[in-house]
């Protein structure tokens, strides 16, 4: 099938097929021509992937529930009178990028170019991004004074928007029905989510609004998406104690001696998963992330306590390893190489700036809100009042993290703009992100694909241009063997969020 018409910014297939409201109620277990027609329409709209077979099974029920969420109907997976009437109505009907993204994933998998170990969007990489030349410009764009509202129209900020919250204060998060929060339209695959929208101009202070689906109630494993938090604390420690030294001027030196690497290069390797000399098991990013947690002055709080103080989430845990740090205890591992296994210290002009600390290990369990809070503190640093910024942090150091986070392998925002036909409609792009994927633990309760991002664009479709500045974090549980599906679902949900933000429908 070809790509056909485009409705409401997402792909649909072919012409709109009417859906007879006189049909019987259809639910799990139903069979026949009516089910076949329903499946064909769900496929055309992108909510269902595969071939229509006339059997109402679990996949059809899930697709129907996702459609019902878009329609703001009760997501019961039953094609009753209200759902059938909505499907019989005139276009535009809601559509999903899930189907198109699954087709692309299936085509890549058939050529042995995609599988659970190499996902099309999670592992696409910056080199394949239309924004691959942009990361060196991100910090300057975020530091630039915003134009007046007459020159760049801020995101609409009605009564629900408020000042950015003080440090340690959890803001109101828009909640909705069925414990799904203000993001009820997201597909069922999304277990936790948080979004923060920003609105500001030279003559208007920053105002924000927070949306969530179990955004704070659940502390869960977000995997590698949490790795950027420890470097934020390092910046705060360094700049408070040595305000004249930007973190790009520092290096990490092994306590074993003889091995020293620049902080900026280490952070970029953490984000990009670049192959590292001597580290033959592919765990370099994990080891760098845990190393950063142990660089701390004795008078400073540990990372876990610091995160709680900044975000206001008193239950966050963040002193665990990220994957392999030491060789397995039950067998030797000759391929294992970790130059910082015995610890390290942060050095710079004048000697040791931050020493190594042995920390008691906990786990890495945070909320979607924690990730969004930390990303907005970074991305909107220049728009915040000094007393609610990351404590002690200076932009000369934060700029290093901004550029590094531009090198994330996951390109879900790229895919969203592609699916929506918006790549040519954005200017001054900034995309800071960190992915996480835990499909190798063998525990189906915590396997998940995760994505946290801060983005800023100028929407050039109108004059004056319109502001799009936001942060998001999403978690899609999965299990080994279903990575391609989870990857497409994450791409589809990010696409729907971006569509609503650019259409100014989320507020």
């Amino acid at each position: 099938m070809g790509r056909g018409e485009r409705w409401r910014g997402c792909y649909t297939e072919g012409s709109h097929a009417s859906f007879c409201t006189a049909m019987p109620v259809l639910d799990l277990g139903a069979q026949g021509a009516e089910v076949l027609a329903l499946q064909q329409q769900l496929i055309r709209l992108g909510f269902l992937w595969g071939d229509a077979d006339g059997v109402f099974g679990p996949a059809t029920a899930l697709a129907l529930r996702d459609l019902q969420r878009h329609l703001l109907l009760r997501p019961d997976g039953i094609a009753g009178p209200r759902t059938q009437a909505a499907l019989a109505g005139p276009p535009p009907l809601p559509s999903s990028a899930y189907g198109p993204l699954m087709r692309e994933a299936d085509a890549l998998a058939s050529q042995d170019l995609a599988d659970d170990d190499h996902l099309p969007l999670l592992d696409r990489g910056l080199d394949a991004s239309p924004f691959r030349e942009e990361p060196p410009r991100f910090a300057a764009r975020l530091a630039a004074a915003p134009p007046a509202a007459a020159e760049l129209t801020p995101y609409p900020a009605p009564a629900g928007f408020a000042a950015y919250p003080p440090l340690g204060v959890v803001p109101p998060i828009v909640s909705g029905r069925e414990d799904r929060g203000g993001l009820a339209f997201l597909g069922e695959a999304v277990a936790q989510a948080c979004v923060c929208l920003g609105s500001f101009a030279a003559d208007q202070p920053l105002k924000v609004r927070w949306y969530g689906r179990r955004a704070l109630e659940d502390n869960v494993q977000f995997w590698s998406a949490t790795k950027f938090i420890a470097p934020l604390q390092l910046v705060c420690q360094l700049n408070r104690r040595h305000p004249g030294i930007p973190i790009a001027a520092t290096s990490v030196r092994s306590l074993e001696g003889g091995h020293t690497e620049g902080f900026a290069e280490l952070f970029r390797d953490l984000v990009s998963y670049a192959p590292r000399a001597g580290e033959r098991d592919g765990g370099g990013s994990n080891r760098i992330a845990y190393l950063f947690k142990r660089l701390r002055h004795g008078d400073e709080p540990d990372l876990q306590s610091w995160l709680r103080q900044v975000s206001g989430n008193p239950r966050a845990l963040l002193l665990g390893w990220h994957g392999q740090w030491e060789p397995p205890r039950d067998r030797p591992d000759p391929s294992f190489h970790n130059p910082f296994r015995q610890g390290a210290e942060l050095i710079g002009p004048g000697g040791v700036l931050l020493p190594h600390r042995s920390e008691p290990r906990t786990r890495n369990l945070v909320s979607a809100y924690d990730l969004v809070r930390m990303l907005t503190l970074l991305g909107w640093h220049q728009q915040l009042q000094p007393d609610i910024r990351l404590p002690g942090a200076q932009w000369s150091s934060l700029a290093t993290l901004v550029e590094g986070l531009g090198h994330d392998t996951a390109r879900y925002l790229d895919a969203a703009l592609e699916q929506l036909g918006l790549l040519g409609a954005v200017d001054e792009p900034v995309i800071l992100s960190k992915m996480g994927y835990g499909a190798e633990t063998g525990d189906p309760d915590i396997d998940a694909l995760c994505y946290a991002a801060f983005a800023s664009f100028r929407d050039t479709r109108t004059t004056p241009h319109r502001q799009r500045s936001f942060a998001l974090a999403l978690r899609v549980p999965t299990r080994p063997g279903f990575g391609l599906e989870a990857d497409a679902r994450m791409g589809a949900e990010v696409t729907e969020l971006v569509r609503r933000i650019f259409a100014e429908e989320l507020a």
Side-chain angles (χ1 to χ4, degrees):
M1 293 185 291
R3 274 185 167 167
E5 298 178 32
R6 188 191 298 255
W7 292 334
R8 297 187 65 192
C10 287
Y11 288 124
T12 61
E13 297 278 348
S15 60
H16 177 69
S18 62
F19 201 81
C20 178
T21 57
M23 279 186 175
V25 172
L26 303 175
D27 59 6
L28 201 64
Q31 300 183 36
E34 293 88 354
V35 175
L36 187 69
L38 172 64
Q39 290 174 327
Q40 289 170 339
Q41 191 157 15
L42 290 172
I43 291 169
R44 280 192 294 270
L45 295 173
F47 291 94
L48 183 62
W49 161 248
D51 297 323
D53 59 6
V55 178
F56 198 124
T60 302
L62 173 60
L64 186 59
R65 289 194 297 271
D66 284 349
L67 171 68
Q68 289 169 328
R69 291 185 187 282
H70 279 240
L71 293 168
L72 297 182
L73 298 174
R74 181 182 177 187
D76 56 11
I78 299 172
R82 293 186 67 186
T83 299
Q84 292 181 18
L87 286 170
L93 283 177
S95 56
S96 171
Y98 171 65
L101 290 174
M102 276 303 300
R103 281 195 294 276
E104 293 175 11
D106 189 57
L108 291 171
S110 68
Q111 303 171 58
D112 294 325
L113 297 176
D115 55 30
D116 251 29
D117 294 323
H118 187 78
L119 301 179
L121 301 180
L122 185 81
D123 300 309
R124 180 182 288 187
L126 182 62
D127 287 345
S129 170
F131 305 114
R132 58 186 171 274
E133 305 297 332
E134 300 293 342
R137 305 180 181 97
F138 287 170
R141 288 171 182 165
L142 293 176
E151 300 172 23
L152 179 68
T153 304
Y155 196 93
F161 280 70
Y164 194 89
L167 294 173
V169 175
V170 176
I173 300 175
V174 177
S175 298
R177 60 189 181 185
E178 298 181 354
D179 197 30
R180 289 292 190 173
L183 303 176
F185 58 86
L186 289 178
E188 189 170 311
V190 178
Q192 287 87 18
C194 185
V195 175
C196 184
L197 277 176
S199 176
F200 57 92
D203 46 353
Q204 295 182 17
L206 173 67
K207 290 188 176 181
V208 296
R209 197 175 195 194
W210 303 75
Y211 304 80
R213 170 180 293 181
R214 293 194 289 272
L216 185 62
E217 293 83 357
D218 295 342
N219 285 335
V220 292
Q221 176 67 272
F222 271 90
W223 302 102
S224 294
T226 63
K227 288 179 177 177
F228 71 94
I229 299 176
L232 284 176
Q233 189 204 22
L234 284 180
V235 165
C236 293
Q237 291 188 70
L238 174 69
N239 289 164
R240 185 163 45 243
R241 295 179 174 277
H242 306 279
I245 302 176
I247 204 162
T250 69
S251 298
V252 176
R253 181 173 64 193
S254 170
L255 293 184
E256 294 178 297
H259 189 87
T260 302
E261 295 187 61
F263 174 90
E265 291 75 20
L266 279 170
F267 182 69
R268 182 179 293 188
D269 285 354
L270 178 155
V271 174
S272 68
Y273 292 85
R276 291 171 49 77
E279 295 187 323
R280 298 173 294 280
D281 62 351
S285 175
N286 294 334
R287 288 191 282 277
I288 296 168
Y290 186 58
L291 159 70
F292 285 160
K293 293 181 179 182
R294 306 204 299 180
L295 296 173
R296 180 170 68 87
H297 193 278
D299 294 337
E300 300 280 351
D302 62 48
L303 176 64
Q304 182 172 284
S305 301
W306 179 82
L307 174 60
R308 293 175 177 182
Q309 294 168 8
V310 172
S311 76
N313 177 6
R315 298 181 295 111
L317 301 175
L318 200 56
L319 288 178
W321 288 342
H322 296 272
Q324 190 182 42
W325 171 261
E326 295 180 346
R329 296 182 183 274
D330 58 347
R331 61 179 174 82
D333 187 352
S335 69
F336 186 86
H337 175 73
N338 180 6
F340 303 112
R341 192 187 311 171
Q342 302 304 317
E345 54 197 1
L346 189 73
I347 62 173
V352 176
L353 304 177
L354 291 175
H356 162 86
R357 301 281 296 182
S358 294
E359 305 286 4
R361 282 197 299 120
T362 60
R363 299 180 67 190
N364 297 324
L365 300 177
V366 302
S367 70
Y369 155 75
D370 289 313
L371 294 175
V372 170
R373 182 66 184 263
M374 303 313 291
L375 282 170
T376 55
L377 283 168
L378 175 61
W380 290 327
H381 178 85
Q382 302 286 13
Q383 313 308 323
L384 298 174
Q385 296 297 318
D387 61 335
I388 59 175
R389 290 175 174 172
L390 285 164
Q394 297 174 345
W395 189 249
S396 59
S397 290
L398 292 177
T400 298
L401 305 190
V402 165
E403 180 172 350
L405 286 171
H407 290 258
D408 187 22
T409 64
R411 310 310 305 179
Y412 292 108
L413 282 169
D414 295 5
L417 296 172
E418 291 167 1
Q419 292 290 313
L420 297 167
L422 291 172
L423 276 179
V426 296
D427 195 11
E428 301 290 317
V430 174
I431 298 177
L432 319 179
S433 67
K434 187 69 190 76
M435 67 80 163
Y437 186 31
E440 300 301 326
T441 66
D443 185 343
D445 293 331
I446 61 172
D447 289 357
L449 190 152
C450 313
Y451 184 60
F454 174 92
S456 176
F457 306 102
R458 286 181 177 228
D459 183 349
T460 65
R461 294 176 299 172
T462 62
T463 301
H465 298 166
R466 303 185 76 84
Q467 179 187 73
R468 311 292 180 222
S469 189
F470 58 93
L472 57 87
L474 287 84
R475 182 176 179 272
V476 175
T478 184
R479 59 188 188 274
F482 289 83
L484 292 176
E485 178 181 346
D487 192 52
R489 290 198 181 279
M490 179 68 80
E493 302 310 327
V494 173
T495 297
E496 179 61 17
L497 278 169
V498 171
R499 186 196 70 77
R500 289 178 183 249
I501 291 170
F502 272 70
E504 298 179 356
E505 293 179 1
L506 196 55

